[in-house]
């Protein structure tokens, strides 16, 4: 299996019919389902919470990649573990206890991810990299789907690849925001291997859009 993974964001799906959406994602041959949890505090919007994740769980075998855009994520770790999250990714900016919170995610039996906003430096996560399975580099400011990819983030991804090598670690590097069949190439070349895409995939023909991302990855 390729080390490249496609993670459709269900923020852009039909919320009235998650069962159907999960089924067609599975049929389209994706790897993860990216679930954007927003609290109206860390980011302005409110999306969905752990109960929605729990009700989707019986309808999909795909990896549930939960991106918590919530303040103090350490208060919600057990709840998401019980709901069936496989990967729980939390913002370094959202807690003063990022190290402890990542330890808690591992202890709860999930894979741990850390994410930083476009304006946040890699230095803020350098000392927790040994704890994580995945680092998510935001390529838009979090809170909304459908924004434009920030090309300057390619330098941050490349610097993270260098840091990963220097530390002898092997976490995945995920990108999120504005990914389409053009911008994915910049993120891939910089060194990312997990690609979240929302509006690009769900607008028009899902299968054709997934295939167009795969075509770039396997070129
Ligand atoms: C943004 C979310 C993203 C969003 C991406 O806050 O974290 O996952 O769904 O949407 P697109 O692909 O439309 O930029
Ligand atoms: Zn996301």
């Amino acid at each position: 299996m390729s080390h490249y993974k496609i993670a459709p964001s269900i923020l852009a799906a039909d919320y009235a019919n998650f069962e159907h959406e999960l089924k067609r994602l599975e049929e389209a041959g994706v790897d993860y389902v990216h679930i954007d949890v927003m609290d109206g505090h860390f980011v302005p919007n409110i999306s969905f919470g752990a109960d929605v994740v729990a009700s989707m769980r019986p309808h999909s075998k795909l990896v549930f990649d939960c991106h918590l855009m919530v303040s103090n994520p350490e208060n919600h770790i057990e709840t998401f573990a019980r709901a069936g999250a496989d990967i729980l990714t939390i913002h370094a900016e959202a807690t003063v206890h990022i190290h402890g919170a990542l330890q808690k995610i591992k202890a709860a039996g999930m894979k741990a991810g850390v994410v930083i906003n476009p304006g946040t430096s890699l230095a803020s996560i350098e000392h927790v990299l040994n704890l994580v399975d995945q680092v998510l580099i935001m390529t838009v400011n979090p809170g909304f789907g459908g924004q434009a990819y920030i090309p300057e983030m390619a330098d941050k991804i490349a610097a993270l690849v260098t840091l990963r090598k220097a530390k002898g670690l092997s976490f995945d590097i995920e990108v999120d925001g504005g990914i389409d069949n053009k911008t994915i190439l910049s993120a891939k070349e910089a060194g990312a291997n997990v690609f979240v895409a929302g509006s690009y995939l769900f607008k028009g023909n899902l299968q054709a859009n997934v295939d167009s991302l795969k075509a770039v990855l396997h070129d």
Side-chain angles (χ1 to χ4, degrees):
M1 213 174 87
S2 158
H3 79 298
Y4 290 124
K5 296 185 193 309
I6 295 179
S9 167
I10 53 146
L11 196 64
D14 176 5
Y15 298 177
N17 209 344
F18 278 139
E19 183 179 351
H20 171 71
E21 295 291 60
L22 290 166
K23 211 148 267 148
R24 65 189 191 114
L25 284 176
E26 212 153 312
E27 282 164 12
V30 303
D31 305 283
Y32 292 175
V33 182
H34 184 82
I35 303 173
D36 286 305
V37 177
M38 303 181 181
D39 67 350
H41 184 262
F42 181 69
V43 291
N45 273 339
I46 297 175
S47 58
F48 22 75
D51 287 346
V52 175
V53 176
S55 58
M56 290 193 298
R57 188 68 278 185
H59 301 292
S60 178
K61 289 190 175 58
L62 292 169
V63 169
F64 278 11
D65 176 35
C66 295
H67 173 193
L68 295 196
M69 284 162 273
V70 307
S71 300
N72 302 120
E74 61 272 24
N75 298 336
H76 305 282
I77 290 167
E78 292 300 331
T79 316
F80 277 90
R82 275 198 301 275
D86 297 296
I87 308 172
L88 199 65
T89 298
I90 59 175
H91 274 265
E93 304 89 350
T95 172
V96 291
H97 301 294
I98 188 67
H99 187 281
L102 291 166
Q103 286 179 318
K104 249 172 125 174
I105 293 174
K106 304 291 287 182
M110 295 175 286
K111 289 194 170 172
V114 68
V115 45
I116 50 174
N117 288 333
T120 303
S121 158
L122 285 180
S124 65
I125 56 169
E126 186 174 347
H127 299 287
V128 299
L129 291 176
N130 61 312
L131 294 175
V132 303
D133 301 284
Q134 170 170 286
V135 176
L136 169 52
I137 300 295
M138 290 306 300
T139 44
V140 298
N141 286 291
F144 308 90
Q147 303 179 80
Y149 178 80
I150 303 171
E152 291 78 14
M153 292 304 110
D155 287 348
K156 196 194 272 189
I157 297 163
L160 181 58
V161 170
T162 304
L163 199 54
R164 179 175 63 185
K165 192 165 182 226
K167 288 179 175 284
L169 297 170
S170 60
F171 50 80
D172 286 326
I173 300 178
E174 182 176 52
V175 285
D176 183 6
I179 298 294
D180 60 24
N181 63 336
K182 294 179 186 69
T183 56
I184 196 172
L185 185 62
S186 145
K188 175 199 170 187
E189 286 180 346
N193 70 295
V194 183
F195 304 89
V196 177
S199 44
Y200 175 73
L201 288 181
F202 284 93
K203 222 179 281 158
N205 185 310
L206 178 71
Q207 181 74 67
N209 295 338
V210 167
D211 291 345
S212 73
L213 295 187
K214 285 187 175 175
V216 178
L217 295 178
H218 299 297
D219 223 12

